[in-house]
Amino acid sequence: MKTSIIGYPRIGNLRELKFASEKYFRGEITSAELEQTAKDIRIYDLKLQKNSGLDFIPSNDFSFYDGVLDTAFLLNAVPERYTSLGLCELDTYFAAARGYQGEKGDVKALAMKKWYNTNYHYMVPEIDDNTDIKLAGNKPFELFSEALENGVKTKPVIIGAYTFLKLARYTGTKTAEDFAEKTAAAYSELLVKLGSLGAEWVQIDEPSLVKDMTAEDTELFVSLYEKILADKTGVKVLLQTYFGDVRDCYNELCGLGFDGIGLDFIEGKRSLELVKQNGFPKDKVLFAGVVNGKNIWRNSYEKTVSTVLELKKYTENIVLNTSCSLLHVPCTLANETKLSASFKKHFAYAEEKLGELSELSSILDADKPCETEEYRKNLALHSEKRAGENTAVKEKTASLTEKDLVRLPEFAEREKIQKERFKLPLFPTTTIGSFPQTADVKHNRSAFRKGEITQAEYEQFIEKKIAECVALQEEIGLDVLVHGEFERNDMVEYFGECLDGYIFTEKAWVQSYGTRCVKPPVIWGDISRAKPMTVRWSKYAQSLTDKPMKGMLTGPVTILNWSFPREDISLKESAFQIALAIREEVLDLEANGISIIQVDEAALREKLPLRKSDWREDYLDWAIPAFRYVHSGVKPETQIHTHMCYSEFADIIKDIDNMDADVITFEASRSDLTILDVLKENNFRTEVGPGVYDIHSPRIPSKQEIKEAIGKMTERIPVSKLWVNPDCGLKTRGNEETVPSLKNLVGAAIEARNENS
Ligand code: GLN
Ligand code: ZN
């Protein structure tokens, strides 16, 4: 049985591409040097794939920044504000990716968005009425030829026409349909050209097919490919989908002239069912995504073999494939030198997944797959009892009833009790938690990690920072204070390190966007709270002031979403285990005199399933209750806040209200406070602090503009429910802009207060 992958990580085993690109941005190396680093990574990866025995090796999966941006350049869909700068090709590309500020002009970058349900971000192509879509770039051809010169005949990979047109933003009056004709022409030219260079197969990625599709969507998809495939002389086309199943267009897909169809059997809940019910065309090859491209656990050969044997009843032409590009997992276990073998044997990063594909291929070629040695070994590995099992936690989360997930008394009564207790003025002012992580804060942390300072010295420094932060907030006149989060590197990693059940990798970097990579912690066993995590700092901070000091925690859904999750228990079960641990911390903070506790759910929105019909059952039905479990045990007079980073939650507004927090703060300034109308229409019950200014920019907002934002708020929301705060944590900002911004914020709130009372 042949094997294939959809794409390979492009950053290099030790993030060589990141470091070289950043040097190039700083002017420390030339473009030729950057190109060379990129080429070295590509050739290394090609050879690795070839030596692993992989049959379908991708090319053009490489990118200097992002594959969607590459496609925009390939199709001549680059806004003029970048091309007119007069920069060289590479710098024009980086200008669109990162913005440009220099002697040739001043332009912002293209917008960036989450890539489906992953933590990767793509650059949103911008198409205006004058965009002239045509085949304009050479990258797929150059990379195919480069690989060929190095002895590897690859399968070039390209983002598909439908997905490209669906992801683009249309700034004029025209829509996707208006560009269909020209886009199709560009793709057919591309196929012909790749064929003439000697490509046998071309992979066209269409992940947008796994989303909900309307009849018009299907029509657009079909009409594009009828044209694209009309005269593809010679070259075979694989239509690749991932991140779900293609239930809305399976039959159309099978009816078109593709030579191969790639389906995802990991995240595609209905993929197997679709094949069983509708059959699979005899003249096509099924690229079966059976090795998870998103998680780091070893494949279960038992499951995979059974899926493939089932598929074999419907088609003989099967190629073993990953479920999506390996871009979403780290490169290689080889560099995990500190992780013990007892953990490592359960993991497969990108390189190890190549090994799995090759093993699976020989297992499936054997007469009796289940009797092969590799199969048996894998079975044994998966049936090993996992260390880190915590029966108390398991029993506790299993025995939860509806009652445990409901906080009493009800919101309205609590609101009254809390107003009485805190006696806060109208428009109470607060911040989201972190204060600037200045160089001294980072230095203190790294010195402690390296053992250059003692724990006592480390903690003394943090206390000093907290004291300064509290004094600063009092001077500025904020109403509800924070300790500043100086003890945290990251809002998830910090809690991961304090919780039992987590393990940490050394080099398991995954690209998040451009040169930015993240290293998600791994949920290994059952999660439990080993010790208080934040109580010490919050208590200290509260001792310095008479104003309420917010305790700061990260919520269970966000912790889970930004980790590599377990596959042996459900996400729901993991979420409740984490919720239990955070709940214990909440109660501990309360017992230690903290009267307001904020539980951040920054990432709640981002893992909402791609299909609306899956929203409830697969996600919201456990995510919202898990959050409620965190705070359902507190006293009525304790105020629970939450914070979310995206205000794009209009479509789940009732669920947000059902989190039953007392106050929610969120990003709203960039979306021009449009969310307020939705809150109003839905009679949103929770008190709200829509961010009045954008902390992602170094700009200092004036008092006047903050007052205007408050004005917009009061037009739609009862004043008694409004809070005034920035739109996210301040850790990435400097004090230079933070202090004047917060002074303007407090000034604006005071004026609004006087005018409204
Ligand atoms: N409390 C966190 C902070 O202020 C929230 C961060 C976030 O929303 N991403 O940094
Ligand atoms: Zn935020």
Side-chain angles (χ1 to χ4, degrees):
M1 205 169 260
K2 290 202 166 154
T3 55
S4 172
I5 64 168
I6 294 175
Y8 201 76
R10 53 222 184 189
I11 49 173
N13 286 353
L14 294 169
R15 290 180 293 160
E16 292 87 346
L17 185 64
K18 168 196 172 71
F19 298 117
S21 304
E22 288 172 353
K23 275 190 191 153
Y24 178 69
F25 300 155
R26 292 192 299 263
E28 293 165 15
I29 60 171
T30 63
S31 61
E33 286 169 297
L34 174 59
E35 298 273 6
Q36 188 59 47
T37 303
K39 184 168 179 178
D40 292 345
I41 295 172
R42 287 194 299 263
I43 306 296
Y44 176 91
D45 290 342
L46 276 175
K47 299 217 157 130
L48 188 81
Q49 291 170 53
K50 186 161 187 200
N51 293 338
S52 80
L54 187 67
D55 299 295
F56 290 87
I57 298 176
S59 63
N60 198 42
D61 51 344
F62 173 83
S63 174
F64 273 113
Y65 206 89
D66 163 53
V68 179
L69 185 61
D70 295 352
T71 314
F73 273 78
L74 180 70
L75 297 176
N76 200 38
V78 185
E80 212 207 300
R81 62 178 184 277
Y82 303 116
T83 51
S84 65
L85 288 169
L87 299 165
C88 71
E89 210 181 309
L90 184 65
D91 288 350
T92 308
Y93 174 83
F94 282 135
R98 315 172 57 238
Y100 174 88
Q101 209 164 28
E103 53 203 33
K104 305 219 162 143
D106 184 357
V107 281
K108 283 197 204 148
L110 286 171
M112 199 164 66
K113 265 198 172 168
K114 290 237 165 222
W115 179 241
Y116 302 90
N117 54 3
T118 73
N119 208 351
Y120 177 79
H121 303 67
Y122 69 95
M123 306 303 303
V124 182
E126 238 177 66
I127 297 182
D128 63 35
D129 288 352
N130 298 319
T131 303
D132 179 24
I133 293 198
K134 61 180 182 201
L135 189 61
N138 278 321
K139 183 177 154 252
F141 314 120
E142 284 168 7
L143 295 189
F144 176 78
S145 302
E146 175 190 270
L148 202 57
E149 281 158 26
N150 283 276
V152 187
K153 182 175 263 192
T154 54
K155 160 193 73 170
V157 172
I158 196 93
I159 288 170
Y162 174 74
T163 292
F164 181 78
L165 290 175
K166 290 306 276 187
L167 296 183
R169 226 183 93 207
Y170 299 86
T171 57
T173 56
K174 292 187 184 169
T175 62
E177 282 74 15
D178 299 315
F179 294 93
E181 188 86 40
K182 286 207 149 190
T183 307
Y187 276 83
S188 20
E189 195 185 332
L190 175 99
L191 290 179
V192 172
K193 202 156 167 192
L194 284 169
S196 72
L197 288 174
E200 233 166 274
W201 280 88
V202 175
Q203 171 187 318
I204 301 188
D205 289 2
E206 289 288 11
S208 278
L209 298 182
V210 311
K211 297 190 58 167
D212 292 321
M213 288 174 80
T214 60
E216 292 80 58
D217 289 333
T218 311
E219 205 175 297
L220 174 64
F221 168 67
V222 171
S223 77
L224 279 167
Y225 281 94
E226 276 171 355
K227 294 187 191 101
I228 294 173
L229 301 174
D231 49 15
K232 50 142 188 127
T233 37
V235 66
K236 291 183 185 156
V237 178
L238 157 63
L239 193 284
Q240 183 65 54
T241 66
Y242 39 84
F243 304 145
D245 62 62
V246 291
R247 66 186 80 152
D248 291 338
C249 65
Y250 183 77
N251 287 320
E252 285 81 0
L253 191 53
C254 291
L256 286 160
F258 298 111
D259 303 278
I261 295 180
L263 302 179
D264 175 354
F265 292 92
I266 302 286
E267 280 191 277
K269 284 203 295 187
R270 295 216 195 141
S271 296
L272 189 56
E273 191 185 314
L274 284 169
V275 174
K276 283 183 174 178
Q277 281 173 0
N278 305 286
F280 190 83
K282 297 234 161 345
D283 59 333
K284 302 191 198 314
V285 182
L286 172 59
F287 285 70
V290 286
V291 171
N292 194 337
K294 269 190 182 171
N295 212 342
I296 50 155
W297 303 96
R298 286 233 158 247
N299 187 270
S300 156
Y301 291 174
E302 187 187 16
K303 249 193 232 160
T304 301
V305 167
S306 111
T307 305
V308 176
L309 293 181
E310 191 62 33
L311 287 170
K312 272 188 149 181
K313 296 180 189 158
Y314 301 88
T315 172
E316 273 305 310
N317 299 323
I318 300 178
V319 171
L320 296 173
N321 202 6
T322 51
S323 65
C324 61
S325 168
L326 297 176
L327 176 70
H328 309 292
V329 288
C331 294
T332 174
L333 270 176
N335 293 322
E336 295 291 352
T337 53
K338 292 195 188 132
L339 209 58
S340 91
S342 58
F343 292 125
K344 274 205 279 195
K345 66 180 181 193
H346 290 276
F347 295 164
Y349 296 176
E351 184 174 340
E352 292 74 31
K353 287 182 195 284
L354 298 175
E356 292 189 329
L357 283 165
S358 133
E359 279 189 7
L360 280 165
S361 144
S362 58
I363 290 172
L364 282 154
D365 283 341
D367 288 338
K368 293 183 174 155
C370 305
E371 287 171 23
T372 54
E373 194 181 330
E374 284 90 355
Y375 184 91
R376 286 206 177 129
K377 268 201 202 153
N378 183 274
L379 200 60
L381 180 77
H382 282 274
S383 49
E384 243 176 53
K385 194 144 174 76
R386 204 184 262 261
E389 202 182 9
N390 185 328
T391 16
V393 167
K394 278 203 164 122
E395 278 164 17
K396 183 108 202 211
T397 52
S399 68
L400 293 178
T401 62
E402 195 48 39
K403 214 175 90 245
D404 298 303
L405 311 177
V406 179
R407 182 177 174 199
L408 290 171
E410 282 186 3
F411 179 86
E413 196 167 325
R414 285 172 355 228
E415 197 177 26
K416 245 186 273 157
I417 297 172
Q418 291 167 17
K419 292 252 187 251
E420 192 53 36
R421 175 182 192 182
F422 294 109
K423 298 204 164 53
L424 291 168
L426 271 187
F427 307 113
T429 53
T430 191
T431 61
I432 307 304
S434 58
F435 265 68
Q437 287 254 336
T438 41
D440 55 340
V441 177
K442 290 184 188 153
H443 178 256
N444 181 53
R445 183 157 51 236
S446 82
F448 177 54
R449 291 211 159 160
K450 286 189 211 137
E452 292 163 10
I453 55 171
T454 64
Q455 172 138 5
E457 286 169 319
Y458 169 75
E459 294 186 353
Q460 220 169 24
F461 176 84
I462 295 201
E463 287 194 347
K464 184 181 122 226
K465 292 302 290 186
I466 292 176
E468 284 168 12
C469 186
V470 171
L472 175 68
Q473 294 172 81
E474 291 205 316
E475 183 205 317
I476 293 173
L478 288 150
D479 299 305
V480 172
L481 311 193
V482 297
H483 74 285
E485 300 182 19
F486 303 109
E487 76 287 8
R488 301 180 195 176
N489 39 353
D490 172 276
M491 65 188 288
V492 169
E493 197 175 24
Y494 178 79
F495 289 94
E497 281 171 358
C498 297
L499 291 167
D500 271 354
Y502 262 100
I503 55 173
F504 293 86
T505 58
E506 226 179 314
K507 295 281 172 356
W509 295 99
V510 179
Q511 190 176 17
S512 169
Y513 62 86
T515 61
R516 182 165 160 82
C517 301
V518 294
K519 197 156 65 65
V522 181
I523 304 182
W524 168 261
D526 294 329
I527 298 290
S528 61
R529 190 182 78 137
K531 52 175 194 270
M533 304 181 279
T534 63
V535 177
R536 179 196 190 298
W537 304 119
S538 290
K539 216 174 135 180
Y540 174 71
Q542 183 67 84
S543 76
L544 304 172
T545 178
D546 293 332
K547 293 194 167 172
M549 172 63 57
K550 273 198 281 191
M552 284 293 158
L553 304 171
T554 303
V557 186
T558 297
I559 292 183
L560 177 66
N561 286 351
W562 285 346
S563 306
F564 283 118
R566 286 168 69 171
E567 287 180 349
D568 61 329
I569 64 171
S570 65
L571 292 176
K572 171 181 172 175
E573 197 173 345
S574 272
F576 273 98
Q577 291 187 356
I578 303 170
L580 172 60
I582 303 296
R583 173 188 172 95
E584 288 170 6
E585 185 75 7
V586 164
L587 295 174
D588 212 350
L589 283 169
E590 185 184 54
N592 278 281
I594 303 300
S595 55
I596 302 186
I597 300 166
Q598 178 172 314
V599 184
D600 292 328
E601 283 293 15
L604 186 112
R605 175 67 173 78
E606 75 182 45
K607 283 273 174 354
L608 196 65
L610 296 175
R611 286 184 187 277
K612 207 163 180 171
S613 53
D614 296 335
W615 282 5
R616 313 244 140 248
E617 203 184 317
D618 288 1
Y619 191 67
L620 295 169
D621 283 355
W622 54 261
I624 304 296
F627 180 85
R628 285 211 309 262
Y629 184 46
V630 165
H631 68 90
S632 60
V634 300
K635 298 186 191 124
E637 63 267 30
T638 297
Q639 192 168 68
I640 298 295
H641 290 215
T642 187
H643 166 74
M644 287 174 62
C645 283
Y646 297 90
S647 60
E648 289 158 25
F649 49 66
D651 37 11
I652 52 167
I653 197 80
K654 291 274 181 225
D655 302 275
I656 305 291
D657 225 6
N658 271 335
M659 291 164 78
D660 203 20
D662 298 305
V663 181
I664 176 170
T665 59
F666 51 84
E667 175 266 306
S669 50
R670 268 179 302 174
S671 50
D672 214 18
L673 297 154
T674 45
I675 183 75
L676 297 176
D677 293 321
V678 182
L679 298 179
K680 182 176 177 195
E681 282 157 28
N682 285 277
N683 259 321
F684 200 68
R685 179 186 63 171
T686 316
E687 294 188 8
V688 291
V692 291
Y693 78 88
D694 175 15
I695 64 89
H696 302 91
S697 153
R699 258 190 92 239
I700 298 168
S702 66
K703 190 161 89 179
Q704 194 47 39
E705 66 185 88
I706 296 178
K707 265 201 79 183
E708 279 161 26
I710 299 176
K712 282 194 193 163
M713 284 153 51
T714 54
E715 280 164 25
R716 293 162 181 92
I717 316 274
V719 287
S720 63
K721 284 203 182 285
L722 284 172
W723 288 66
V724 174
N725 45 262
D727 69 353
C728 197
L730 300 162
K731 69 172 171 237
T732 55
R733 294 266 65 86
N735 282 317
E736 321 75 75
E737 63 257 25
T738 297
V739 175
S741 299
L742 291 178
K743 284 190 173 155
N744 289 345
L745 180 147
V746 169
I750 292 174
E751 283 183 16
R753 206 170 280 162
N754 293 337
E755 288 162 20
N756 280 274
S757 50

